[in-house]
Amino acid sequence: HVQLVESGGGSVQAGGSLRLSCAASGVDDSWNAMTWFRQAPGKPREGIARIWSGKSPTYYAVSVQGRFIISQDDAKNTVSLQMNDLRPEDTAVYYCAAKPRVSSAYNCPRSSNEWNYWGQGTQVTVS
């Protein structure tokens, strides 16, 4: 039974930083793609960062590039999102998701409906 649990959300002033973590349980080495999405009120879910096989991040959305860093621990059961220089427009619920047996970084899904398992989300509020 795969379970993803996010933590680290909260409220911060503009320009501040937060670090989100996503702990995965019930996964094995086949779960090699992980991602962070976010959803602001009234807006669609937006993919903001992806990582494949714990290697160099494969994707950042333009809106977060240069400010956010996705990383994965060696055991590949925790993925983190370091968020720096936060802006009010970063306010959203942040979700992590995972998918097994992704053959390459290029094949990491872009769409939210292609990811198999999701965490419950964690609120980030920037004022």
Side-chain angles (χ1 to χ4, degrees), residues 53-108:
S53 284
K55 299 177 182 178
S56 296
T58 62
Y59 168 80
Y60 289 108
V62 171
S63 57
V64 306
Q65 199 160 22
R67 300 186 298 124
F68 290 11
I69 301 171
I70 187 172
S71 61
Q72 192 169 15
D73 70 350
D74 289 343
K76 299 181 185 176
N77 59 7
T78 300
V79 63
S80 299
L81 187 69
Q82 177 67 39
M83 305 187 296
N84 302 317
D85 189 23
L86 284 161
R87 304 167 181 170
E89 54 263 41
D90 295 318
T91 295
V93 178
Y94 284 70
Y95 300 89
C96 67
K99 185 175 179 68
R101 296 179 292 278
V102 177
S103 59
S104 70
Y106 178 80
N107 288 318
C108 282

Side-chain angles (χ1 to χ4, degrees), residues 37-41 88-95 122-126:
F37 277 76
R38 68 183 181 186
Q39 188 164 22
E89 54 263 41
D90 295 318
T91 295
V93 178
Y94 284 70
Y95 300 89
T122 185
Q123 177 71 45
V124 172
T125 303
V126 185

